[in-house]
Amino acid sequence: MTEDFGEFDIIRNFFTPDTRREDVDIGVGDDCAVLTAPAGKKIATTVDTLIAGVHFPFSTLPEDIAYKSIAVCVSDLAAMGATPAWLTLALSIPDADTQWLQSFSRSFSDTAKYFDMQLIGGDTTRGPLSITVQATGFVEPGHIMRRDSARPGDSIFVTGSLGDAALGLLLLNEQKIIDKPVFEYCLGRLNRPTPRVEFACAVAEYCACAIDISDGLVADLGHILEASQKFSQCGAEIIVDAVPVSSELRSYYDRVSNTSDNSPGAINWELVLCSGDDYELCLVVSEQQVSAVVSLADSMRLPLSRVGVINAGPGLQFVDASGESLTITKSGYDHF
Ligand code: ADP
Ligand code: MG
């Protein structure tokens, strides 16, 4: 349904939030938002654009697009150890479709509330469907997780499981639905990633180096290695069998491999390690802090897997459980 809505009707009807954070002096409606940062904290800010047909299939529901547009930014904040606070939204829509706007804005508002954030401003334009969200948060000055602080000897950890979103996208594109629960689980992981924000904010006390996995572990760990080179030669060894995958992904590969002797199917490690959209955390932890990090994850019941170690390089190497080296030729997702 397309109504005769103007730009300001859209803003008033759909993007004037009811939640109110005390640190928002002026929110939506003036030329700028005016905000009060907490004393003694640093501001962390990030922006991400989601474009229809590039970052999500055209068939994606508006409520999933809204959720994901916030979640991917919250994932960036988490990767720095920052607590989410404020959002701005630059929305480009082809027309004023009220049903679409209603679903999108409700989910946007629910998601903002879920992460204890407030929408404080934005921009609304007509054009191809594109959603740009800026998220800002606060971080303790001494607890900022950076990409450049990996050192040889540190352990590499990954939260949750990898590859589910990539498998979801593959199954969606190929319309190859072998197992409905597996398909739905993977599609859920694609559309509704779960940034590990609570764990990230707590673990930042013990962990100096992190990145969120948005372009695949290979690419994102690669960014850590590259950034850390300026201090010391850094490479990494990943034990592929230690990389966490969900029981759903495993069961999918068991099925498609169709082995006669019931032996486990061969997992497509390139899909797991080199695709995007996981929004899990990759942490690099010094030996002294490993037990604190592991206990913290246990206490929060968050799956955390040690997948390898930083060494003196060069580059990223993969081995199986017996130490045999494996070749992964792909890198990660790259727009260009
Ligand atoms: P200006 O022309 O001064 O840049 P706009 O006319 O673009 O302001 O927007 C008016 C007000 O509405 C501003 O406070 C702006 O931040 C807010 N706004 C515009 N679009 C959105 C949106 N999609 N979500 C939230 N706030 C928005
Ligand atoms: Mg404007």
Side-chain angles (χ1 to χ4, degrees):
M1 200 192 350
T2 308
E3 275 183 33
D4 205 12
F5 266 167
E7 182 186 332
F8 299 102
D9 302 316
I10 293 174
I11 298 165
R12 193 172 39 249
N13 283 306
F14 300 108
F15 297 109
T16 304
D18 47 3
T19 52
R20 191 162 171 88
R21 286 179 58 101
E22 289 198 340
D23 51 16
V24 179
D25 298 286
I26 301 174
V28 171
D30 216 316
D31 294 310
C32 289
V34 176
L35 310 153
T36 304
K41 295 280 174 79
K42 296 277 185 191
I43 304 278
T45 192
T46 180
V47 65
D48 267 304
T49 295
L50 301 186
I51 298 172
V54 178
H55 297 92
F56 55 87
F58 287 101
S59 61
T60 310
L61 297 173
E63 48 269 42
D64 288 336
I65 300 169
Y67 174 89
K68 192 165 176 176
S69 69
I70 295 180
V72 299
C73 284
V74 167
S75 176
D76 278 327
L77 291 177
M80 301 299 288
T83 304
W86 306 317
L87 292 164
T88 60
L89 166 66
L91 185 62
S92 157
I93 42 176
D95 47 46
D97 177 338
T98 33
Q99 217 149 23
W100 190 95
L101 279 164
Q102 212 145 47
S103 304
F104 178 89
S105 64
R106 262 194 210 134
S107 168
F108 197 91
S109 165
D110 290 346
T111 309
K113 261 187 216 144
Y114 176 77
F115 289 115
D116 196 18
M117 303 184 85
Q118 186 174 325
L119 180 63
I120 54 162
D123 201 19
T124 305
T125 52
R126 186 195 288 266
L129 182 59
S130 157
I131 297 97
T132 298
V133 171
Q134 183 191 26
T136 301
F138 315 128
V139 60
E140 288 283 342
H143 295 164
I144 301 169
M145 298 194 286
R146 308 169 53 112
R147 294 182 180 188
D148 62 6
S149 15
R151 301 291 178 268
D154 291 352
S155 291
I156 304 164
F157 287 89
V158 166
T159 59
S161 60
L162 303 186
D164 300 323
L167 181 57
L169 185 62
L170 181 89
L171 297 177
L172 186 70
N173 286 338
E174 295 187 352
Q175 292 291 313
K176 202 168 78 182
I177 301 166
I178 291 180
D179 181 319
K180 204 155 176 251
V182 166
F183 174 68
E184 277 170 3
Y185 166 81
C186 291
L187 200 61
R189 294 274 290 157
L190 175 69
N191 289 331
R192 300 253 166 176
T194 49
R196 307 298 186 178
V197 58
E198 221 177 311
F199 173 69
C201 291
V203 83
E205 187 180 341
Y206 312 108
C207 174
C209 179
I211 194 165
D212 69 317
I213 306 172
S214 54
D215 297 326
L217 179 65
V218 166
D220 290 314
L221 181 57
H223 295 318
I224 285 184
L225 300 180
E226 198 188 322
S228 299
Q229 297 294 345
K230 60 182 177 226
F231 299 110
S232 54
Q233 178 73 23
C234 271
E237 187 179 84
I238 297 293
I239 305 146
V240 169
D241 305 70
V243 172
V245 292
S246 64
S247 55
E248 286 84 354
L249 184 139
R250 203 173 279 282
S251 84
Y252 170 79
Y253 284 110
D254 285 346
R255 274 203 189 206
V256 291
S257 313
N258 224 351
T259 48
S260 50
D261 55 356
N262 269 345
S263 57
I267 287 171
N268 179 347
W269 285 112
E270 283 195 349
L271 175 134
V272 172
L273 297 168
C274 309
S275 308
D277 274 346
D278 293 307
Y279 299 103
E280 295 291 350
L281 285 174
C282 172
L283 305 172
V284 176
V285 182
S286 71
E287 209 44 53
Q288 305 90 279
Q289 301 291 6
V290 162
S291 67
V293 168
V294 170
S295 320
L296 181 69
D298 282 349
S299 73
M300 294 181 136
R301 293 167 191 267
L302 178 72
L304 183 71
S305 310
R306 186 181 177 280
V307 298
V309 66
I310 301 287
N311 55 31
L316 196 49
Q317 249 101 45
F318 297 90
V319 296
D320 65 15
S322 59
E324 287 290 312
S325 79
L326 295 172
T327 312
I328 304 281
T329 48
K330 271 174 76 178
S331 62
Y333 187 79
D334 188 322
H335 278 278
F336 295 96

PDB file of all heavy atoms in Angstrom, residues 7-8 10-12 14-17 27-33 87-91 104 108 119-125, ligand 1:
ATOM      1  N   GLU A   7       7.985  13.240   3.127  1.00  0.00           N
ATOM      2  CA  GLU A   7       9.182  12.900   3.909  1.00  0.00           C
ATOM      3  C   GLU A   7       8.935  13.099   5.416  1.00  0.00           C
ATOM      4  O   GLU A   7       9.261  12.244   6.237  1.00  0.00           O
ATOM      5  CB  GLU A   7      10.319  13.803   3.414  1.00  0.00           C
ATOM      6  CG  GLU A   7      11.648  13.591   4.059  1.00  0.00           C
ATOM      7  CD  GLU A   7      12.663  14.646   3.590  1.00  0.00           C
ATOM      8  OE1 GLU A   7      12.526  15.151   2.463  1.00  0.00           O
ATOM      9  OE2 GLU A   7      13.575  14.967   4.368  1.00  0.00           O
ATOM     10  N   PHE A   8       8.302  14.230   5.762  1.00  0.00           N
ATOM     11  CA  PHE A   8       8.148  14.530   7.188  1.00  0.00           C
ATOM     12  C   PHE A   8       7.056  13.696   7.838  1.00  0.00           C
ATOM     13  O   PHE A   8       7.134  13.380   9.019  1.00  0.00           O
ATOM     14  CB  PHE A   8       7.945  16.042   7.399  1.00  0.00           C
ATOM     15  CG  PHE A   8       9.150  16.793   6.902  1.00  0.00           C
ATOM     16  CD1 PHE A   8       9.133  17.447   5.681  1.00  0.00           C
ATOM     17  CD2 PHE A   8      10.337  16.767   7.637  1.00  0.00           C
ATOM     18  CE1 PHE A   8      10.280  18.082   5.204  1.00  0.00           C
ATOM     19  CE2 PHE A   8      11.478  17.403   7.166  1.00  0.00           C
ATOM     20  CZ  PHE A   8      11.449  18.065   5.946  1.00  0.00           C
ATOM     21  N   ILE A  10       6.585  10.628   6.996  1.00  0.00           N
ATOM     22  CA  ILE A  10       7.272   9.340   7.223  1.00  0.00           C
ATOM     23  C   ILE A  10       8.075   9.419   8.520  1.00  0.00           C
ATOM     24  O   ILE A  10       7.996   8.532   9.370  1.00  0.00           O
ATOM     25  CB  ILE A  10       8.191   8.982   6.023  1.00  0.00           C
ATOM     26  CG1 ILE A  10       7.344   8.704   4.777  1.00  0.00           C
ATOM     27  CG2 ILE A  10       9.069   7.776   6.355  1.00  0.00           C
ATOM     28  CD1 ILE A  10       8.142   8.477   3.507  1.00  0.00           C
ATOM     29  N   ILE A  11       8.821  10.502   8.662  1.00  0.00           N
ATOM     30  CA  ILE A  11       9.650  10.638   9.874  1.00  0.00           C
ATOM     31  C   ILE A  11       8.762  10.659  11.123  1.00  0.00           C
ATOM     32  O   ILE A  11       9.006   9.949  12.091  1.00  0.00           O
ATOM     33  CB  ILE A  11      10.523  11.914   9.804  1.00  0.00           C
ATOM     34  CG1 ILE A  11      11.497  11.833   8.613  1.00  0.00           C
ATOM     35  CG2 ILE A  11      11.306  12.114  11.109  1.00  0.00           C
ATOM     36  CD1 ILE A  11      12.137  13.162   8.247  1.00  0.00           C
ATOM     37  N   ARG A  12       7.697  11.471  11.060  1.00  0.00           N
ATOM     38  CA  ARG A  12       6.827  11.609  12.230  1.00  0.00           C
ATOM     39  C   ARG A  12       6.119  10.292  12.555  1.00  0.00           C
ATOM     40  O   ARG A  12       6.041   9.874  13.699  1.00  0.00           O
ATOM     41  CB  ARG A  12       5.792  12.717  11.991  1.00  0.00           C
ATOM     42  CG  ARG A  12       5.056  13.133  13.259  1.00  0.00           C
ATOM     43  CD  ARG A  12       4.176  14.356  13.067  1.00  0.00           C
ATOM     44  NE  ARG A  12       3.501  14.355  11.784  1.00  0.00           N
ATOM     45  CZ  ARG A  12       3.752  15.189  10.761  1.00  0.00           C
ATOM     46  NH1 ARG A  12       4.612  16.111  10.874  1.00  0.00           N
ATOM     47  NH2 ARG A  12       3.128  15.113   9.596  1.00  0.00           N
ATOM     48  N   PHE A  14       6.827   7.122  11.540  1.00  0.00           N
ATOM     49  CA  PHE A  14       7.553   5.858  11.671  1.00  0.00           C
ATOM     50  C   PHE A  14       8.879   5.959  12.421  1.00  0.00           C
ATOM     51  O   PHE A  14       9.388   4.956  12.900  1.00  0.00           O
ATOM     52  CB  PHE A  14       7.808   5.247  10.287  1.00  0.00           C
ATOM     53  CG  PHE A  14       6.541   4.964   9.542  1.00  0.00           C
ATOM     54  CD1 PHE A  14       6.173   5.747   8.458  1.00  0.00           C
ATOM     55  CD2 PHE A  14       5.710   3.931   9.952  1.00  0.00           C
ATOM     56  CE1 PHE A  14       4.996   5.489   7.773  1.00  0.00           C
ATOM     57  CE2 PHE A  14       4.534   3.668   9.275  1.00  0.00           C
ATOM     58  CZ  PHE A  14       4.163   4.450   8.174  1.00  0.00           C
ATOM     59  N   PHE A  15       9.448   7.137  12.477  1.00  0.00           N
ATOM     60  CA  PHE A  15      10.812   7.190  13.018  1.00  0.00           C
ATOM     61  C   PHE A  15      10.982   8.188  14.154  1.00  0.00           C
ATOM     62  O   PHE A  15      12.044   8.762  14.338  1.00  0.00           O
ATOM     63  CB  PHE A  15      11.813   7.453  11.879  1.00  0.00           C
ATOM     64  CG  PHE A  15      11.793   6.337  10.882  1.00  0.00           C
ATOM     65  CD1 PHE A  15      11.254   6.519   9.611  1.00  0.00           C
ATOM     66  CD2 PHE A  15      12.252   5.075  11.233  1.00  0.00           C
ATOM     67  CE1 PHE A  15      11.198   5.463   8.704  1.00  0.00           C
ATOM     68  CE2 PHE A  15      12.200   4.019  10.334  1.00  0.00           C
ATOM     69  CZ  PHE A  15      11.668   4.212   9.061  1.00  0.00           C
ATOM     70  N   THR A  16       9.905   8.388  14.904  1.00  0.00           N
ATOM     71  CA  THR A  16      10.038   9.203  16.103  1.00  0.00           C
ATOM     72  C   THR A  16       9.912   8.258  17.292  1.00  0.00           C
ATOM     73  O   THR A  16       8.813   7.791  17.614  1.00  0.00           O
ATOM     74  CB  THR A  16       8.953  10.300  16.125  1.00  0.00           C
ATOM     75  OG1 THR A  16       9.081  11.036  14.910  1.00  0.00           O
ATOM     76  CG2 THR A  16       9.155  11.246  17.301  1.00  0.00           C
ATOM     77  N   PRO A  17      11.029   7.907  17.891  1.00  0.00           N
ATOM     78  CA  PRO A  17      11.019   6.802  18.850  1.00  0.00           C
ATOM     79  C   PRO A  17      10.331   7.166  20.162  1.00  0.00           C
ATOM     80  O   PRO A  17      10.332   8.316  20.580  1.00  0.00           O
ATOM     81  CB  PRO A  17      12.505   6.522  19.086  1.00  0.00           C
ATOM     82  CG  PRO A  17      13.205   7.768  18.724  1.00  0.00           C
ATOM     83  CD  PRO A  17      12.362   8.478  17.718  1.00  0.00           C
ATOM     84  N   GLY A  27      16.709  14.575  20.390  1.00  0.00           N
ATOM     85  CA  GLY A  27      16.720  13.419  19.489  1.00  0.00           C
ATOM     86  C   GLY A  27      16.193  13.789  18.121  1.00  0.00           C
ATOM     87  O   GLY A  27      16.498  14.864  17.593  1.00  0.00           O
ATOM     88  N   VAL A  28      15.362  12.910  17.539  1.00  0.00           N
ATOM     89  CA  VAL A  28      14.802  13.142  16.208  1.00  0.00           C
ATOM     90  C   VAL A  28      13.995  14.443  16.184  1.00  0.00           C
ATOM     91  O   VAL A  28      13.205  14.695  17.088  1.00  0.00           O
ATOM     92  CB  VAL A  28      13.896  11.953  15.809  1.00  0.00           C
ATOM     93  CG1 VAL A  28      13.118  12.256  14.533  1.00  0.00           C
ATOM     94  CG2 VAL A  28      14.719  10.682  15.654  1.00  0.00           C
ATOM     95  N   GLY A  29      14.184  15.251  15.156  1.00  0.00           N
ATOM     96  CA  GLY A  29      13.330  16.421  14.970  1.00  0.00           C
ATOM     97  C   GLY A  29      14.051  17.740  14.864  1.00  0.00           C
ATOM     98  O   GLY A  29      13.491  18.705  14.347  1.00  0.00           O
ATOM     99  N   ASP A  30      15.271  17.829  15.318  1.00  0.00           N
ATOM    100  CA  ASP A  30      15.997  19.096  15.174  1.00  0.00           C
ATOM    101  C   ASP A  30      17.098  18.904  14.124  1.00  0.00           C
ATOM    102  O   ASP A  30      17.203  17.861  13.497  1.00  0.00           O
ATOM    103  CB  ASP A  30      16.556  19.546  16.531  1.00  0.00           C
ATOM    104  CG  ASP A  30      16.506  21.074  16.662  1.00  0.00           C
ATOM    105  OD1 ASP A  30      16.871  21.745  15.677  1.00  0.00           O
ATOM    106  OD2 ASP A  30      16.114  21.567  17.736  1.00  0.00           O
ATOM    107  N   ASP A  31      17.897  19.937  13.932  1.00  0.00           N
ATOM    108  CA  ASP A  31      18.926  19.835  12.899  1.00  0.00           C
ATOM    109  C   ASP A  31      20.008  18.811  13.251  1.00  0.00           C
ATOM    110  O   ASP A  31      20.588  18.178  12.375  1.00  0.00           O
ATOM    111  CB  ASP A  31      19.568  21.208  12.662  1.00  0.00           C
ATOM    112  CG  ASP A  31      18.551  22.175  12.073  1.00  0.00           C
ATOM    113  OD1 ASP A  31      17.905  21.783  11.083  1.00  0.00           O
ATOM    114  OD2 ASP A  31      18.372  23.282  12.602  1.00  0.00           O
ATOM    115  N   CYS A  32      20.278  18.705  14.517  1.00  0.00           N
ATOM    116  CA  CYS A  32      21.227  17.698  15.004  1.00  0.00           C
ATOM    117  C   CYS A  32      20.666  17.080  16.275  1.00  0.00           C
ATOM    118  O   CYS A  32      19.845  17.691  16.955  1.00  0.00           O
ATOM    119  CB  CYS A  32      22.563  18.344  15.409  1.00  0.00           C
ATOM    120  SG  CYS A  32      23.556  18.925  14.056  1.00  0.00           S
ATOM    121  N   ALA A  33      21.145  15.910  16.581  1.00  0.00           N
ATOM    122  CA  ALA A  33      20.899  15.362  17.912  1.00  0.00           C
ATOM    123  C   ALA A  33      21.941  15.962  18.857  1.00  0.00           C
ATOM    124  O   ALA A  33      23.070  16.235  18.441  1.00  0.00           O
ATOM    125  CB  ALA A  33      21.026  13.849  17.875  1.00  0.00           C
ATOM    126  N   LEU A  87      21.619   5.505  17.797  1.00  0.00           N
ATOM    127  CA  LEU A  87      21.513   5.093  16.391  1.00  0.00           C
ATOM    128  C   LEU A  87      21.088   6.263  15.525  1.00  0.00           C
ATOM    129  O   LEU A  87      20.218   7.048  15.925  1.00  0.00           O
ATOM    130  CB  LEU A  87      20.418   4.025  16.239  1.00  0.00           C
ATOM    131  CG  LEU A  87      20.669   2.660  16.860  1.00  0.00           C
ATOM    132  CD1 LEU A  87      19.352   1.896  16.966  1.00  0.00           C
ATOM    133  CD2 LEU A  87      21.670   1.877  16.014  1.00  0.00           C
ATOM    134  N   THR A  88      21.655   6.365  14.335  1.00  0.00           N
ATOM    135  CA  THR A  88      21.039   7.200  13.304  1.00  0.00           C
ATOM    136  C   THR A  88      20.742   6.299  12.106  1.00  0.00           C
ATOM    137  O   THR A  88      21.384   5.262  11.913  1.00  0.00           O
ATOM    138  CB  THR A  88      21.927   8.383  12.854  1.00  0.00           C
ATOM    139  OG1 THR A  88      23.144   7.871  12.315  1.00  0.00           O
ATOM    140  CG2 THR A  88      22.227   9.332  14.001  1.00  0.00           C
ATOM    141  N   LEU A  89      19.755   6.708  11.326  1.00  0.00           N
ATOM    142  CA  LEU A  89      19.272   5.878  10.221  1.00  0.00           C
ATOM    143  C   LEU A  89      19.119   6.720   8.965  1.00  0.00           C
ATOM    144  O   LEU A  89      18.325   7.664   8.943  1.00  0.00           O
ATOM    145  CB  LEU A  89      17.899   5.291  10.614  1.00  0.00           C
ATOM    146  CG  LEU A  89      17.061   4.658   9.508  1.00  0.00           C
ATOM    147  CD1 LEU A  89      17.735   3.402   8.967  1.00  0.00           C
ATOM    148  CD2 LEU A  89      15.666   4.320  10.049  1.00  0.00           C
ATOM    149  N   ALA A  90      19.887   6.412   7.936  1.00  0.00           N
ATOM    150  CA  ALA A  90      19.691   7.049   6.636  1.00  0.00           C
ATOM    151  C   ALA A  90      19.001   6.024   5.742  1.00  0.00           C
ATOM    152  O   ALA A  90      19.567   4.978   5.419  1.00  0.00           O
ATOM    153  CB  ALA A  90      21.012   7.493   6.040  1.00  0.00           C
ATOM    154  N   LEU A  91      17.770   6.347   5.401  1.00  0.00           N
ATOM    155  CA  LEU A  91      16.916   5.388   4.708  1.00  0.00           C
ATOM    156  C   LEU A  91      16.615   5.891   3.306  1.00  0.00           C
ATOM    157  O   LEU A  91      16.134   7.008   3.132  1.00  0.00           O
ATOM    158  CB  LEU A  91      15.613   5.264   5.519  1.00  0.00           C
ATOM    159  CG  LEU A  91      14.589   4.250   5.073  1.00  0.00           C
ATOM    160  CD1 LEU A  91      15.149   2.832   5.144  1.00  0.00           C
ATOM    161  CD2 LEU A  91      13.343   4.360   5.960  1.00  0.00           C
ATOM    162  N   PHE A 104       9.020  -2.362   8.942  1.00  0.00           N
ATOM    163  CA  PHE A 104      10.423  -2.000   9.124  1.00  0.00           C
ATOM    164  C   PHE A 104      10.598  -1.203  10.413  1.00  0.00           C
ATOM    165  O   PHE A 104      11.459  -1.514  11.245  1.00  0.00           O
ATOM    166  CB  PHE A 104      10.915  -1.191   7.923  1.00  0.00           C
ATOM    167  CG  PHE A 104      12.346  -0.739   8.050  1.00  0.00           C
ATOM    168  CD1 PHE A 104      13.388  -1.545   7.604  1.00  0.00           C
ATOM    169  CD2 PHE A 104      12.652   0.488   8.632  1.00  0.00           C
ATOM    170  CE1 PHE A 104      14.713  -1.129   7.746  1.00  0.00           C
ATOM    171  CE2 PHE A 104      13.971   0.914   8.772  1.00  0.00           C
ATOM    172  CZ  PHE A 104      15.001   0.101   8.325  1.00  0.00           C
ATOM    173  N   PHE A 108      12.603  -2.058  13.763  1.00  0.00           N
ATOM    174  CA  PHE A 108      13.741  -1.199  14.075  1.00  0.00           C
ATOM    175  C   PHE A 108      13.647  -0.733  15.528  1.00  0.00           C
ATOM    176  O   PHE A 108      14.623  -0.791  16.288  1.00  0.00           O
ATOM    177  CB  PHE A 108      13.786   0.001  13.124  1.00  0.00           C
ATOM    178  CG  PHE A 108      15.113   0.706  13.095  1.00  0.00           C
ATOM    179  CD1 PHE A 108      16.095   0.349  12.181  1.00  0.00           C
ATOM    180  CD2 PHE A 108      15.389   1.724  14.003  1.00  0.00           C
ATOM    181  CE1 PHE A 108      17.326   0.993  12.161  1.00  0.00           C
ATOM    182  CE2 PHE A 108      16.613   2.378  13.992  1.00  0.00           C
ATOM    183  CZ  PHE A 108      17.583   2.018  13.067  1.00  0.00           C
ATOM    184  N   LEU A 119      17.098   5.680  18.674  1.00  0.00           N
ATOM    185  CA  LEU A 119      17.225   6.356  17.376  1.00  0.00           C
ATOM    186  C   LEU A 119      17.194   7.864  17.631  1.00  0.00           C
ATOM    187  O   LEU A 119      16.244   8.373  18.218  1.00  0.00           O
ATOM    188  CB  LEU A 119      16.056   5.932  16.476  1.00  0.00           C
ATOM    189  CG  LEU A 119      16.011   6.537  15.071  1.00  0.00           C
ATOM    190  CD1 LEU A 119      17.225   6.104  14.253  1.00  0.00           C
ATOM    191  CD2 LEU A 119      14.726   6.121  14.353  1.00  0.00           C
ATOM    192  N   ILE A 120      18.238   8.551  17.180  1.00  0.00           N
ATOM    193  CA  ILE A 120      18.371   9.979  17.522  1.00  0.00           C
ATOM    194  C   ILE A 120      18.339  10.885  16.298  1.00  0.00           C
ATOM    195  O   ILE A 120      18.412  12.103  16.429  1.00  0.00           O
ATOM    196  CB  ILE A 120      19.677  10.225  18.306  1.00  0.00           C
ATOM    197  CG1 ILE A 120      20.869   9.672  17.512  1.00  0.00           C
ATOM    198  CG2 ILE A 120      19.590   9.611  19.701  1.00  0.00           C
ATOM    199  CD1 ILE A 120      22.196  10.223  17.956  1.00  0.00           C
ATOM    200  N   GLY A 121      18.230  10.299  15.101  1.00  0.00           N
ATOM    201  CA  GLY A 121      18.175  11.135  13.906  1.00  0.00           C
ATOM    202  C   GLY A 121      18.400  10.314  12.670  1.00  0.00           C
ATOM    203  O   GLY A 121      18.540   9.086  12.738  1.00  0.00           O
ATOM    204  N   GLY A 122      18.392  10.991  11.533  1.00  0.00           N
ATOM    205  CA  GLY A 122      18.601  10.261  10.292  1.00  0.00           C
ATOM    206  C   GLY A 122      18.330  11.107   9.080  1.00  0.00           C
ATOM    207  O   GLY A 122      18.332  12.338   9.148  1.00  0.00           O
ATOM    208  N   ASP A 123      18.062  10.424   7.987  1.00  0.00           N
ATOM    209  CA  ASP A 123      17.765  11.104   6.745  1.00  0.00           C
ATOM    210  C   ASP A 123      16.852  10.179   5.953  1.00  0.00           C
ATOM    211  O   ASP A 123      17.005   8.955   6.009  1.00  0.00           O
ATOM    212  CB  ASP A 123      19.075  11.370   5.989  1.00  0.00           C
ATOM    213  CG  ASP A 123      18.919  12.481   4.969  1.00  0.00           C
ATOM    214  OD1 ASP A 123      17.957  13.268   5.083  1.00  0.00           O
ATOM    215  OD2 ASP A 123      19.755  12.555   4.049  1.00  0.00           O
ATOM    216  N   THR A 124      15.880  10.748   5.242  1.00  0.00           N
ATOM    217  CA  THR A 124      14.917   9.931   4.504  1.00  0.00           C
ATOM    218  C   THR A 124      14.875  10.426   3.063  1.00  0.00           C
ATOM    219  O   THR A 124      14.609  11.609   2.831  1.00  0.00           O
ATOM    220  CB  THR A 124      13.519  10.036   5.157  1.00  0.00           C
ATOM    221  OG1 THR A 124      13.647   9.675   6.531  1.00  0.00           O
ATOM    222  CG2 THR A 124      12.530   9.112   4.481  1.00  0.00           C
ATOM    223  N   THR A 125      15.169   9.533   2.145  1.00  0.00           N
ATOM    224  CA  THR A 125      15.232   9.933   0.736  1.00  0.00           C
ATOM    225  C   THR A 125      14.551   8.873  -0.132  1.00  0.00           C
ATOM    226  O   THR A 125      14.360   7.734   0.297  1.00  0.00           O
ATOM    227  CB  THR A 125      16.697  10.062   0.263  1.00  0.00           C
ATOM    228  OG1 THR A 125      17.389   8.859   0.595  1.00  0.00           O
ATOM    229  CG2 THR A 125      17.404  11.233   0.936  1.00  0.00           C
TER     230      THR A 125
HETATM  231  P1  ADP B   1      17.807  18.457   7.808  1.00  0.00           P
HETATM  232  O1  ADP B   1      17.167  18.850   6.505  1.00  0.00           O
HETATM  233  O2  ADP B   1      17.949  19.543   8.791  1.00  0.00           O
HETATM  234  O3  ADP B   1      19.034  17.624   7.601  1.00  0.00           O
HETATM  235  P2  ADP B   1      15.833  16.454   7.764  1.00  0.00           P
HETATM  236  O4  ADP B   1      14.753  17.247   7.145  1.00  0.00           O
HETATM  237  O5  ADP B   1      16.604  15.528   6.901  1.00  0.00           O
HETATM  238  O6  ADP B   1      16.775  17.467   8.524  1.00  0.00           O
HETATM  239  O7  ADP B   1      15.251  15.612   8.975  1.00  0.00           O
HETATM  240  C1  ADP B   1      14.432  16.196   9.964  1.00  0.00           C
HETATM  241  C2  ADP B   1      14.669  15.507  11.278  1.00  0.00           C
HETATM  242  O8  ADP B   1      14.259  14.159  11.182  1.00  0.00           O
HETATM  243  C3  ADP B   1      16.124  15.471  11.725  1.00  0.00           C
HETATM  244  O9  ADP B   1      16.149  15.551  13.128  1.00  0.00           O
HETATM  245  C4  ADP B   1      16.593  14.123  11.264  1.00  0.00           C
HETATM  246  O10 ADP B   1      17.663  13.660  12.089  1.00  0.00           O
HETATM  247  C5  ADP B   1      15.342  13.284  11.445  1.00  0.00           C
HETATM  248  N1  ADP B   1      15.240  12.152  10.512  1.00  0.00           N
HETATM  249  C6  ADP B   1      15.137  12.187   9.165  1.00  0.00           C
HETATM  250  N2  ADP B   1      14.985  10.955   8.654  1.00  0.00           N
HETATM  251  C7  ADP B   1      15.018  10.113   9.708  1.00  0.00           C
HETATM  252  C8  ADP B   1      14.931   8.703   9.855  1.00  0.00           C
HETATM  253  N3  ADP B   1      14.796   7.871   8.813  1.00  0.00           N
HETATM  254  N4  ADP B   1      15.040   8.189  11.101  1.00  0.00           N
HETATM  255  C9  ADP B   1      15.182   8.988  12.165  1.00  0.00           C
HETATM  256  N5  ADP B   1      15.246  10.316  12.109  1.00  0.00           N
HETATM  257  C10 ADP B   1      15.173  10.878  10.898  1.00  0.00           C
END
